[in-house]
Amino acid sequence: MLASSQLIKASWIAVEVTRQGAERILVVETYIAVSPLEHNYDAAKYEKVVGCVRKVLAANPDIDRASILSMYRGANCTKLFRATEEAAAA
């Protein structure tokens, strides 16, 4: 994932275990918005990250799938937790 190392914050392998079996998942945290619904979404940057993730999956057939997460501050997801904490304090 060196080609997009400026865009990737961290990555690791997670395992999801169910009664049917287990899946190895490449989890990738990015510094960019990953959805057109997010402010400042850049399709070209997102495609660059996706391309790198696809290369990693192709080179490692033991990894079943990937999940790309946005650590982009503009996503405002932390607001959800602050609102929950504020409601609990009230």
Side-chain angles (χ1 to χ4, degrees):
M1 280 197 246
L2 295 175
S4 64
S5 60
Q6 299 168 334
L7 304 177
I8 295 174
K9 178 181 180 187
S11 62
W12 65 90
I13 300 294
V15 178
E16 183 177 318
V17 179
T18 64
R19 289 181 184 208
Q20 292 75 30
E23 279 189 310
R24 292 179 52 143
I25 306 159
L26 174 64
V27 180
V28 180
E29 292 181 339
T30 67
Y31 287 117
I32 62 169
V34 298
S35 166
L37 301 175
E38 292 180 82
H39 181 67
N40 288 335
Y41 172 74
D42 184 327
K45 286 182 181 178
Y46 180 68
E47 283 302 316
K48 187 174 182 181
V49 171
V50 170
C52 289
V53 169
R54 285 182 178 148
K55 286 179 187 176
V56 170
L57 292 176
N60 297 279
D62 57 322
I63 301 174
D64 299 302
R65 60 187 170 100
S67 178
I68 302 173
L69 308 173
S70 177
M71 297 293 110
Y72 174 64
R73 291 190 181 276
N76 294 322
C77 290
T78 54
K79 279 184 172 179
L80 299 171
F81 293 96
R82 282 194 296 270
T84 303
E85 290 172 358
E86 292 168 0

XYZ file of all heavy atoms in Angstrom:
688
model
N 0.817 -1.192 0.000
C 0.000 0.000 0.000
C 0.860 1.256 0.000
O 0.414 2.306 0.389
C -0.925 0.000 1.199
C -2.143 -0.850 1.006
S -3.408 -0.461 2.195
C -3.447 -1.968 3.088
N 2.060 1.164 -0.458
C 2.959 2.311 -0.444
C 2.496 3.443 -1.340
O 2.710 4.608 -1.037
C 4.366 1.871 -0.847
C 5.042 0.902 0.118
C 6.378 0.458 -0.453
C 5.224 1.533 1.474
N 1.842 3.125 -2.440
C 1.411 4.162 -3.381
C 0.429 5.136 -2.755
O 0.342 6.280 -3.160
C 0.789 3.516 -4.618
N -0.296 4.706 -1.763
C -1.272 5.596 -1.138
C -0.968 5.809 0.343
O -1.851 6.125 1.115
C -2.678 5.031 -1.307
O -2.764 3.812 -0.618
N 0.303 5.650 0.738
C 0.640 5.746 2.158
C 0.312 7.108 2.746
O 0.093 7.229 3.946
C 2.117 5.403 2.387
O 2.931 6.309 1.673
N 0.245 8.146 1.930
C -0.137 9.458 2.431
C -1.625 9.492 2.770
O -2.061 10.349 3.521
C 0.156 10.528 1.391
C 1.609 10.634 1.035
C 1.806 11.487 -0.203
O 0.908 11.592 -1.035
N 2.962 12.080 -0.329
N -2.385 8.593 2.191
C -3.831 8.567 2.395
C -4.264 7.563 3.452
O -5.379 7.636 3.950
C -4.530 8.245 1.076
C -4.211 9.159 -0.109
C -4.911 8.663 -1.361
C -4.594 10.589 0.197
N -3.382 6.628 3.807
C -3.738 5.559 4.734
C -3.122 5.817 6.099
O -1.922 6.029 6.221
C -3.300 4.191 4.180
C -4.099 3.896 2.911
C -3.489 3.099 5.216
C -3.676 2.653 2.189
N -3.970 5.802 7.099
C -3.515 6.034 8.467
C -2.977 4.740 9.077
O -1.908 4.720 9.660
C -4.669 6.560 9.309
C -4.323 6.785 10.753
C -5.512 7.294 11.548
C -5.104 7.492 12.998
N -6.245 7.832 13.832
N -3.736 3.655 8.960
C -3.352 2.372 9.544
C -4.121 1.254 8.860
O -5.133 1.491 8.207
C -3.653 2.366 11.040
N -3.619 0.040 9.017
C -4.341 -1.134 8.508
C -3.977 -2.345 9.352
O -2.903 -2.385 9.953
C -4.019 -1.381 7.031
O -2.642 -1.653 6.870
N -4.883 -3.294 9.413
C -4.657 -4.516 10.163
C -5.610 -5.581 9.669
O -6.543 -5.316 8.938
C -4.824 -4.277 11.666
C -6.198 -3.901 12.083
C -7.203 -4.733 12.459
C -6.754 -2.581 12.138
N -8.341 -4.021 12.757
C -8.093 -2.693 12.567
C -6.248 -1.305 11.876
C -8.917 -1.592 12.731
C -7.076 -0.206 12.046
C -8.390 -0.361 12.469
N -5.357 -6.804 10.112
C -6.224 -7.933 9.773
C -7.139 -8.216 10.963
O -6.678 -8.372 12.089
C -5.408 -9.207 9.450
C -4.472 -8.979 8.276
C -6.340 -10.393 9.188
C -5.148 -8.742 6.951
N -8.425 -8.248 10.704
C -9.417 -8.621 11.714
C -10.025 -9.955 11.278
O -9.981 -10.314 10.102
C -10.506 -7.554 11.808
N -10.578 -10.659 12.223
C -11.217 -11.946 11.924
C -12.655 -11.899 12.418
O -12.924 -11.527 13.554
C -10.465 -13.113 12.592
C -11.176 -14.431 12.314
C -9.026 -13.173 12.109
N -13.570 -12.247 11.518
C -14.980 -12.348 11.881
C -15.329 -13.826 11.941
O -15.187 -14.546 10.957
C -15.856 -11.644 10.852
C -17.325 -11.663 11.207
C -18.157 -10.885 10.209
O -17.737 -9.796 9.796
O -19.227 -11.390 9.845
N -15.779 -14.279 13.112
C -16.081 -15.692 13.316
C -17.584 -15.858 13.506
O -18.200 -15.174 14.319
C -15.332 -16.246 14.549
C -15.660 -17.714 14.764
C -13.825 -16.033 14.405
N -18.163 -16.748 12.710
C -19.575 -17.087 12.833
C -19.695 -18.601 12.914
O -18.707 -19.323 12.766
C -20.392 -16.573 11.625
O -19.941 -17.253 10.452
C -20.232 -15.072 11.439
N -20.890 -19.090 13.070
C -21.087 -20.547 13.098
C -20.751 -21.178 11.748
O -20.382 -22.335 11.662
C -22.514 -20.876 13.479
C -22.806 -20.578 14.910
C -24.213 -20.945 15.273
N -24.454 -20.546 16.646
C -25.298 -21.132 17.444
N -26.014 -22.148 17.003
N -25.453 -20.725 18.664
N -20.902 -20.396 10.695
C -20.636 -20.907 9.349
C -19.148 -20.931 9.016
O -18.733 -21.607 8.092
C -21.371 -20.064 8.291
C -22.880 -20.192 8.322
C -23.534 -19.448 9.466
O -23.025 -18.433 9.925
N -24.656 -19.962 9.951
N -18.338 -20.174 9.736
C -16.908 -20.158 9.452
C -16.269 -18.863 9.913
O -16.830 -18.115 10.707
N -15.100 -18.591 9.381
C -14.360 -17.385 9.742
C -13.880 -16.682 8.478
O -13.579 -17.322 7.474
C -13.169 -17.747 10.620
N -13.842 -15.358 8.549
C -13.346 -14.552 7.443
C -12.230 -13.654 7.947
O -12.333 -13.085 9.032
C -14.441 -13.643 6.869
C -15.383 -14.297 5.926
C -16.282 -13.257 5.268
O -16.876 -12.429 5.983
O -16.372 -13.287 4.026
N -11.185 -13.528 7.149
C -10.108 -12.582 7.448
C -10.405 -11.302 6.683
O -10.637 -11.338 5.482
C -8.768 -13.162 7.028
C -8.376 -14.354 7.891
C -7.073 -14.919 7.445
N -6.101 -13.822 7.384
C -4.831 -13.927 7.705
N -4.357 -15.065 8.072
N -4.023 -12.898 7.612
N -10.390 -10.192 7.397
C -10.773 -8.907 6.818
C -9.616 -7.924 6.959
O -9.098 -7.709 8.060
C -12.014 -8.333 7.529
C -13.150 -9.354 7.509
C -12.432 -7.004 6.923
C -14.202 -9.128 8.561
N -9.219 -7.325 5.853
C -8.227 -6.261 5.873
C -8.964 -4.966 6.209
O -9.824 -4.525 5.452
C -7.537 -6.136 4.511
C -6.581 -4.956 4.351
C -5.399 -5.082 5.293
C -6.116 -4.855 2.909
N -8.655 -4.395 7.353
C -9.281 -3.142 7.770
C -8.295 -2.017 7.480
O -7.134 -2.081 7.881
C -9.641 -3.159 9.275
C -10.299 -1.852 9.684
C -10.540 -4.340 9.591
N -8.768 -1.001 6.747
C -7.909 0.108 6.344
C -8.529 1.408 6.826
O -9.674 1.709 6.502
C -7.746 0.143 4.803
C -6.852 1.293 4.382
C -7.214 -1.183 4.291
N -7.771 2.166 7.627
C -8.206 3.494 8.057
C -7.569 4.517 7.119
O -6.367 4.453 6.860
C -7.752 3.792 9.485
C -8.417 2.971 10.541
C -7.939 3.346 11.933
O -6.849 3.937 12.071
O -8.653 3.043 12.885
N -8.371 5.435 6.613
C -7.855 6.436 5.686
C -7.988 7.840 6.260
O -8.766 8.085 7.177
C -8.626 6.413 4.355
O -9.959 6.843 4.602
C -8.631 5.043 3.727
N -7.214 8.751 5.694
C -7.277 10.163 6.068
C -8.259 10.931 5.197
O -8.324 12.144 5.259
C -5.902 10.806 5.919
C -4.911 10.408 6.973
C -3.758 9.717 6.632
C -5.117 10.735 8.304
C -2.827 9.374 7.598
C -4.194 10.381 9.276
C -3.052 9.706 8.921
O -2.139 9.359 9.876
N -9.008 10.221 4.357
C -9.909 10.884 3.404
C -11.356 10.481 3.644
O -11.632 9.470 4.288
C -9.525 10.544 1.944
C -9.657 9.044 1.693
C -8.123 11.047 1.618
C -9.551 8.641 0.245
N -12.256 11.261 3.100
C -13.672 10.893 3.106
C -13.849 9.723 2.138
O -13.267 9.714 1.060
C -14.518 12.079 2.672
N -14.638 8.726 2.522
C -14.795 7.531 1.690
C -16.189 7.380 1.094
O -16.496 6.367 0.485
C -14.413 6.243 2.460
C -12.960 6.266 2.870
C -15.311 6.043 3.670
N -17.010 8.393 1.263
C -18.371 8.340 0.742
C -18.720 9.671 0.088
O -18.364 10.727 0.616
C -19.357 8.057 1.875
O -20.675 8.308 1.462
N -19.445 9.626 -1.022
C -19.896 10.881 -1.642
C -20.803 11.693 -0.716
O -21.010 12.875 -0.937
C -20.676 10.415 -2.873
C -20.227 9.032 -3.131
C -19.810 8.458 -1.806
N -21.308 11.069 0.332
C -22.160 11.774 1.281
C -21.349 12.602 2.282
O -21.898 13.441 2.975
C -23.038 10.784 2.036
C -23.965 9.941 1.161
C -24.705 8.918 2.015
C -24.939 10.819 0.410
N -20.037 12.335 2.360
C -19.173 13.066 3.279
C -18.658 14.342 2.627
O -18.416 14.383 1.418
C -17.978 12.215 3.708
C -18.340 11.026 4.572
C -17.123 10.226 4.951
O -16.430 10.622 5.903
O -16.850 9.226 4.268
N -18.473 15.354 3.457
C -17.916 16.629 2.997
C -16.483 16.400 2.478
O -15.736 15.631 3.056
C -17.915 17.613 4.167
C -17.381 18.957 3.821
N -18.038 19.803 2.961
C -16.260 19.590 4.205
C -17.328 20.909 2.837
N -16.248 20.804 3.584
N -16.129 17.042 1.401
C -14.786 16.974 0.793
C -14.432 15.599 0.222
O -13.259 15.235 0.147
C -13.699 17.419 1.779
C -13.733 18.901 2.017
O -14.195 19.668 1.180
N -13.259 19.316 3.176
N -15.421 14.828 -0.183
C -15.153 13.537 -0.831
C -14.418 13.787 -2.131
O -14.793 14.640 -2.929
C -16.474 12.812 -1.099
C -16.323 11.557 -1.927
C -15.783 10.407 -1.383
C -16.724 11.535 -3.258
C -15.647 9.256 -2.133
C -16.593 10.387 -4.018
C -16.051 9.253 -3.448
O -15.914 8.118 -4.207
N -13.341 13.042 -2.349
C -12.541 13.155 -3.568
C -12.488 11.769 -4.206
O -11.784 10.876 -3.723
C -11.142 13.655 -3.224
C -10.267 13.892 -4.434
O -10.399 13.157 -5.442
O -9.437 14.818 -4.372
N -13.230 11.592 -5.281
C -13.330 10.277 -5.932
C -11.973 9.761 -6.396
O -11.696 8.565 -6.292
C -14.304 10.349 -7.104
N -11.102 10.638 -6.881
C -9.788 10.211 -7.368
C -8.937 9.650 -6.222
O -8.284 8.607 -6.381
C -9.080 11.367 -8.048
N -8.949 10.317 -5.085
C -8.179 9.824 -3.929
C -8.763 8.505 -3.427
O -8.026 7.579 -3.086
C -8.174 10.851 -2.800
C -7.292 12.039 -3.072
C -7.294 12.992 -1.898
C -6.420 14.200 -2.174
N -6.445 15.155 -1.052
N -10.082 8.429 -3.397
C -10.714 7.192 -2.933
C -10.368 6.035 -3.872
O -10.033 4.945 -3.414
C -12.229 7.374 -2.824
C -12.924 6.122 -2.350
C -12.741 5.653 -1.060
C -13.750 5.390 -3.205
C -13.368 4.496 -0.619
C -14.376 4.244 -2.772
C -14.179 3.796 -1.485
O -14.787 2.649 -1.061
N -10.409 6.273 -5.161
C -10.060 5.219 -6.133
C -8.606 4.792 -5.988
O -8.279 3.621 -6.200
C -10.352 5.681 -7.554
C -11.825 5.630 -7.908
C -12.426 4.236 -7.745
O -11.813 3.234 -8.156
O -13.532 4.155 -7.183
N -7.741 5.711 -5.614
C -6.330 5.374 -5.393
C -6.209 4.396 -4.222
O -5.493 3.406 -4.303
C -5.531 6.643 -5.118
C -4.047 6.445 -5.049
C -3.333 7.783 -4.925
C -1.835 7.595 -4.913
N -1.123 8.864 -4.769
N -6.927 4.673 -3.144
C -6.912 3.776 -1.986
C -7.513 2.427 -2.360
O -6.953 1.375 -2.047
C -7.665 4.403 -0.789
C -7.841 3.391 0.337
C -6.934 5.638 -0.286
N -8.640 2.436 -3.050
C -9.293 1.191 -3.465
C -8.359 0.364 -4.354
O -8.259 -0.857 -4.195
C -10.631 1.474 -4.185
C -11.187 0.216 -4.837
C -11.650 2.041 -3.206
N -7.666 1.008 -5.265
C -6.720 0.305 -6.132
C -5.627 -0.383 -5.343
O -5.268 -1.535 -5.619
N -5.089 0.306 -4.347
C -4.055 -0.293 -3.507
C -4.602 -1.462 -2.687
O -3.939 -2.489 -2.550
C -3.454 0.761 -2.588
S -2.439 1.956 -3.459
N -5.807 -1.308 -2.176
C -6.432 -2.384 -1.406
C -6.651 -3.605 -2.304
O -6.388 -4.739 -1.905
C -7.755 -1.911 -0.760
C -8.547 -3.077 -0.194
C -7.474 -0.874 0.318
N -7.095 -3.380 -3.524
C -7.299 -4.502 -4.461
C -5.994 -5.233 -4.741
O -5.967 -6.464 -4.839
C -7.911 -3.987 -5.763
C -9.372 -3.655 -5.623
C -9.967 -3.204 -6.940
N -11.395 -2.943 -6.766
C -12.057 -2.031 -7.435
N -11.448 -1.277 -8.327
N -13.343 -1.861 -7.216
N -4.893 -4.490 -4.863
C -3.586 -5.124 -5.088
C -3.197 -6.000 -3.906
O -2.685 -7.109 -4.081
C -2.515 -4.061 -5.327
C -2.604 -3.405 -6.683
C -1.524 -2.351 -6.839
C -1.707 -1.576 -8.122
N -0.730 -0.478 -8.257
N -3.434 -5.499 -2.699
C -3.113 -6.275 -1.502
C -3.970 -7.534 -1.453
O -3.460 -8.624 -1.172
C -3.306 -5.420 -0.223
C -3.223 -6.283 1.024
C -2.285 -4.298 -0.174
N -5.259 -7.413 -1.742
C -6.137 -8.591 -1.739
C -5.714 -9.596 -2.806
O -5.735 -10.812 -2.557
C -7.592 -8.168 -1.947
C -8.234 -7.382 -0.800
C -9.646 -6.944 -1.189
C -8.254 -8.174 0.485
N -5.328 -9.115 -3.971
C -4.896 -10.020 -5.047
C -3.604 -10.754 -4.679
O -3.431 -11.925 -5.018
C -4.707 -9.242 -6.344
N -2.728 -10.081 -3.969
C -1.447 -10.680 -3.591
C -1.568 -11.582 -2.363
O -0.648 -12.345 -2.063
C -0.425 -9.582 -3.321
N -2.687 -11.492 -1.653
C -2.883 -12.271 -0.435
C -4.243 -12.959 -0.461
O -5.200 -12.509 0.177
C -2.801 -11.353 0.791
C -1.451 -10.712 0.927
O -0.523 -11.323 1.433
N -1.324 -9.486 0.448
N -4.345 -14.073 -1.183
C -5.642 -14.744 -1.328
C -6.222 -15.287 -0.023
O -7.405 -15.624 0.028
C -5.352 -15.874 -2.319
C -3.885 -16.053 -2.297
C -3.285 -14.752 -1.900
N -5.430 -15.322 1.041
C -5.952 -15.785 2.332
C -6.783 -14.709 3.033
O -7.473 -15.002 4.004
C -4.811 -16.252 3.234
C -3.758 -15.177 3.457
O -3.455 -14.429 2.513
O -3.241 -15.085 4.590
N -6.753 -13.468 2.526
C -7.599 -12.411 3.062
C -8.893 -12.421 2.257
O -8.878 -12.327 1.037
C -6.912 -11.034 2.955
C -5.583 -11.042 3.719
C -7.833 -9.944 3.502
C -4.774 -9.773 3.541
N -10.015 -12.534 2.944
C -11.301 -12.702 2.279
C -11.898 -11.417 1.708
O -12.520 -11.426 0.657
C -12.308 -13.334 3.241
C -11.842 -14.707 3.689
O -11.636 -15.565 2.810
O -11.655 -14.908 4.899
N -11.743 -10.319 2.434
C -12.333 -9.063 1.987
C -11.661 -7.908 2.711
O -10.829 -8.126 3.583
C -13.833 -9.039 2.205
C -14.273 -9.210 3.648
C -15.789 -9.347 3.761
N -16.208 -9.736 5.084
C -16.678 -8.898 6.006
N -16.777 -7.610 5.732
N -17.058 -9.330 7.186
N -12.086 -6.703 2.369
C -11.524 -5.511 3.000
C -12.637 -4.568 3.445
O -13.753 -4.613 2.925
C -10.597 -4.786 2.029
N -12.301 -3.732 4.401
C -13.201 -2.701 4.881
C -12.390 -1.413 4.982
O -11.353 -1.383 5.640
C -13.757 -3.091 6.250
O -14.606 -2.074 6.735
N -12.859 -0.366 4.303
C -12.156 0.911 4.308
C -12.931 1.881 5.181
O -14.108 2.134 4.944
C -12.000 1.464 2.875
C -11.249 0.461 1.999
C -11.287 2.811 2.903
C -11.187 0.844 0.533
N -12.262 2.407 6.195
C -12.887 3.300 7.159
C -12.320 4.707 7.028
O -11.128 4.883 6.831
C -12.633 2.803 8.589
C -12.988 1.359 8.885
C -12.525 0.988 10.288
C -14.475 1.149 8.745
N -13.159 5.688 7.182
C -12.724 7.076 7.118
C -12.367 7.590 8.500
O -13.181 7.548 9.412
C -13.836 7.949 6.533
O -13.432 9.300 6.537
N -11.149 8.079 8.644
C -10.727 8.750 9.866
C -10.695 10.249 9.619
O -10.105 11.014 10.346
C -9.336 8.272 10.299
C -9.287 6.811 10.653
S -10.228 6.443 12.144
C -11.595 5.521 11.505
N -11.353 10.642 8.536
C -11.408 12.035 8.112
C -12.215 12.836 9.123
O -13.342 12.490 9.442
C -12.041 12.100 6.713
C -12.296 13.476 6.190
C -11.236 14.331 5.936
C -13.575 13.917 5.950
C -11.471 15.600 5.446
C -13.815 15.180 5.458
C -12.748 16.019 5.202
O -12.980 17.282 4.725
N -11.631 13.890 9.639
C -12.285 14.682 10.681
C -13.588 15.321 10.207
O -14.479 15.561 10.996
C -11.346 15.763 11.199
C -10.199 15.205 11.984
C -9.445 16.338 12.663
N -8.326 15.859 13.417
C -8.386 15.399 14.655
N -9.539 15.331 15.266
N -7.319 14.986 15.274
N -13.709 15.578 8.931
C -14.913 16.203 8.410
C -16.116 15.287 8.370
O -17.217 15.705 8.032
N -15.937 14.009 8.718
C -17.040 13.053 8.687
C -18.059 13.328 9.795
O -19.199 12.903 9.711
C -16.510 11.621 8.811
N -17.631 14.028 10.836
C -18.495 14.403 11.957
C -19.093 13.219 12.709
O -20.094 13.367 13.393
C -19.604 15.348 11.504
C -19.058 16.671 11.065
O -18.107 17.181 11.658
N -19.635 17.236 10.019
N -18.508 12.054 12.596
C -19.046 10.881 13.287
C -18.898 11.003 14.798
O -19.724 10.474 15.543
C -18.357 9.606 12.807
S -18.796 9.187 11.116
N -17.863 11.697 15.261
C -17.690 11.822 16.707
C -18.817 12.628 17.337
O -19.073 12.507 18.529
C -16.335 12.459 17.055
O -16.213 13.693 16.362
C -15.186 11.544 16.683
N -19.511 13.434 16.540
C -20.666 14.169 17.050
C -21.724 13.214 17.601
O -22.421 13.526 18.556
C -21.313 15.008 15.940
C -20.645 16.306 15.673
C -21.466 17.032 14.629
C -21.005 18.426 14.414
N -21.800 19.107 13.373
N -21.844 12.053 16.990
C -22.834 11.072 17.437
C -22.557 10.644 18.877
O -23.473 10.497 19.679
C -22.822 9.847 16.523
C -23.158 10.105 15.057
C -22.885 8.852 14.233
C -24.601 10.541 14.912
N -21.285 10.474 19.211
C -20.922 10.055 20.561
C -21.086 11.191 21.565
O -21.539 10.974 22.680
C -19.486 9.517 20.589
C -19.347 8.241 19.820
C -18.908 8.251 18.506
C -19.672 7.029 20.402
C -18.802 7.082 17.787
C -19.565 5.854 19.690
C -19.127 5.877 18.384
N -20.737 12.408 21.152
C -20.911 13.553 22.040
C -22.385 13.753 22.355
O -22.758 14.019 23.490
C -20.314 14.819 21.421
C -18.800 14.872 21.532
C -18.282 16.257 21.236
N -18.543 16.690 19.875
C -17.736 16.506 18.844
N -16.596 15.877 19.007
N -18.062 16.945 17.642
N -23.238 13.605 21.358
C -24.678 13.764 21.566
C -25.203 12.713 22.540
O -26.027 12.998 23.401
C -25.423 13.673 20.238
N -24.693 11.486 22.430
C -25.096 10.401 23.334
C -24.645 10.695 24.763
O -25.394 10.498 25.709
C -24.517 9.055 22.857
O -24.958 8.826 21.517
C -24.966 7.902 23.731
N -23.400 11.181 24.909
C -22.872 11.505 26.237
C -23.652 12.656 26.863
O -23.954 12.646 28.048
C -21.390 11.851 26.146
C -20.524 10.661 25.837
C -19.075 11.030 25.552
O -18.741 12.245 25.558
O -18.275 10.121 25.300
N -23.969 13.667 26.048
C -24.724 14.817 26.540
C -26.122 14.410 26.989
O -26.619 14.869 28.013
C -24.795 15.923 25.480
C -23.455 16.568 25.211
C -23.444 17.453 23.981
O -24.510 17.575 23.310
O -22.386 18.012 23.660
N -26.747 13.512 26.247
C -28.085 13.039 26.603
C -28.032 12.228 27.902
O -28.936 12.332 28.738
C -28.662 12.195 25.475
N -26.987 11.453 28.083
C -26.859 10.641 29.278
C -26.587 11.507 30.504
O -27.029 11.181 31.608
C -25.730 9.619 29.113
N -25.885 12.618 30.305
C -25.570 13.519 31.419
C -26.773 14.326 31.850
O -26.857 14.799 32.976
C -24.419 14.439 31.029
N -27.730 14.507 30.949
C -28.904 15.337 31.256
C -29.924 14.648 32.126
O -29.936 13.580 32.498
C -29.582 15.767 29.962
